Amino acid sequence: VDMEACRDRLYTQLSGGEKRRVQLARVLAQIHGPNPAQPGYLFLDEPMNGLDLSHQIEALELMKQLRTQGIGICMVLHDINQAIQNSDQIVLLKNGERLATGSPEDLANSDCLEAALEIRLQRQSVKGMPLPWLIPK
């Protein structure tokens, strides 16, 4: 989680984003539990909050690697583009109620996102991105 440079600092001296990365490292160290042959599950609530963009990208890449190892990952994300570009399935919630469940492709092209976010969206193709990028109109 790119914290080697901070190894001699106290936890209380770390920034908010650095503390998030330490917490992520603690979770990753425990994910397999006593039986490494049995895949585990990782539940994350806003794991990108407080991280700068480069560390967000690194964390999302790490999540992709864990998925290929059979680790189940459930993340709460408020950034709809991060969710669409990095998920297998999305559950869209508003005020604690489920509005939709589906693949990123289905939700990226549905009107339910606009209802949930209460804004009009423009879908824009971005080179290198498998799905459209959503921006406010």
Side-chain angles (χ1 to χ4, degrees), residues 4-121:
E4 294 85 12
C6 300
R7 70 176 160 243
D8 295 326
R9 291 172 48 202
L10 295 174
Y11 181 80
T12 56
Q13 296 172 331
L14 301 176
S15 71
E18 290 167 336
K19 287 178 180 177
R20 289 289 266 193
R21 295 191 338 253
V22 167
Q23 295 302 327
L24 180 58
R26 291 177 68 197
V27 168
L28 294 173
Q30 300 173 46
I31 194 166
H32 286 290
N35 184 359
Q38 183 177 6
Y41 297 91
L42 185 57
F43 295 89
L44 301 168
D45 185 11
E46 287 294 328
M48 306 309 150
N49 191 23
L51 299 183
D52 60 36
L53 186 57
S54 65
H55 288 111
Q56 289 179 31
I57 292 167
E58 287 175 11
L60 290 166
E61 287 299 317
L62 177 60
M63 298 306 133
K64 287 179 187 177
Q65 290 174 12
L66 292 172
R67 286 188 349 228
T68 65
Q69 297 170 19
I71 303 295
I73 299 174
C74 178
M75 288 191 286
V76 174
L77 297 172
H78 286 149
D79 184 324
I80 194 62
N81 285 304
Q82 280 184 347
I84 287 173
Q85 300 299 329
N86 296 285
S87 300
D88 297 321
Q89 287 288 312
I90 296 175
V91 177
L92 182 63
L93 303 173
K94 180 171 177 122
N95 299 325
E97 300 290 326
R98 184 174 56 117
L99 294 182
T101 302
S103 70
E105 295 86 355
D106 291 343
L107 291 181
N109 294 305
S110 74
D111 293 333
C112 65
L113 285 176
E114 292 180 341
L117 300 172
E118 298 178 356
I119 59 171
R120 302 224 350 121
L121 294 171

